[in-house]
Amino acid sequence: MTDRRIAMVTGATGGLGRVLVPDLAADGWDLVLVGSSQERLDALVTSAALDPERTTTVTANLRDQTAATAAVEAAYERFGRVDALAHLVGGWTGGTHVGRSSDEPFADMIDQHFWTSLNVVRELAPRMVDAGFGRIAAISSPMAAAPDAGMGAYGVGKAAQETLFAALAQEVAGS
């Protein structure tokens, strides 16, 4: 257990994660880095010169509830708590007009944006409420409210994610 702040970063090896992670480390945070590839997580730890004593990596497909549970458990096992979640899992599928699209891009974007979000916050938010502190941030897109042509699948996934976080914010308000 540590007195330092603990941040979990999902999608840590993506473009935003590679920017945020070194900044968090420089600001004194202990880190739980979650990604889909151990090789990319190891490369991030090396390239950002992260202290292995203050960093844990977890390989997980957060579309799967069991994997998300295991990722949160790993964070609590290593550091005893999580003070902040930066949910940066991202991805884009699009380019096909809604009337010509199969179900696959819609299912993929809902999995990528909604299910990864729900699976992580379902495990983490109650623990933060019980601890009396926690912060959760997720990255969205203007496409959630005003998608361009060919961006229906992406917009649906991001809109589902935004709705989830808006509902969560109302549920934990004042806690």
Side-chain angles (χ1 to χ4, degrees):
M1 188 83 146
T2 179
D3 291 333
R4 294 183 297 263
R5 296 172 293 179
I6 313 301
M8 174 179 261
V9 181
T10 59
T13 62
L16 293 173
R18 290 190 309 269
V19 171
L20 179 62
V21 165
D23 287 349
L24 288 170
D27 200 30
W29 290 76
D30 287 353
L31 301 170
V32 179
L33 307 178
V34 183
S36 60
S37 163
Q38 188 62 51
E39 183 179 323
R40 287 193 306 262
L41 287 166
D42 292 343
L44 175 60
V45 169
T46 300
S47 68
L50 301 176
D51 181 347
E53 295 298 315
R54 300 186 63 188
T55 306
T56 292
T57 61
V58 180
T59 304
N61 176 355
L62 298 176
R63 296 174 186 218
D64 176 69
Q65 181 62 53
T66 302
T69 299
V72 172
E73 288 293 331
Y76 276 77
E77 185 175 305
R78 174 69 187 273
F79 294 116
R81 69 180 194 280
V82 172
D83 301 310
L85 167 66
H87 185 63
L88 307 179
V89 172
W92 175 81
T93 297
T96 303
H97 289 238
V98 172
R100 295 185 189 107
S101 179
S102 68
D103 292 349
E104 187 176 335
F106 287 90
D108 184 50
M109 289 294 89
I110 290 169
D111 285 350
Q112 188 73 19
H113 300 290
F114 174 75
W115 285 110
T116 63
S117 300
L118 179 60
N119 289 338
V120 173
V121 300
R122 189 169 18 205
E123 292 299 320
L124 196 52
R127 293 173 190 239
M128 289 176 162
V129 169
D130 290 347
F133 183 82
R135 298 293 183 264
I136 297 175
I139 302 301
S140 189
S141 166
M143 293 297 149
D148 291 336
M151 298 293 286
Y154 181 71
V156 165
K158 283 302 194 177
Q161 181 185 47
E162 283 190 14
T163 300
L164 172 71
F165 282 106
L168 177 64
Q170 293 300 313
E171 293 168 3
V172 300
S175 65

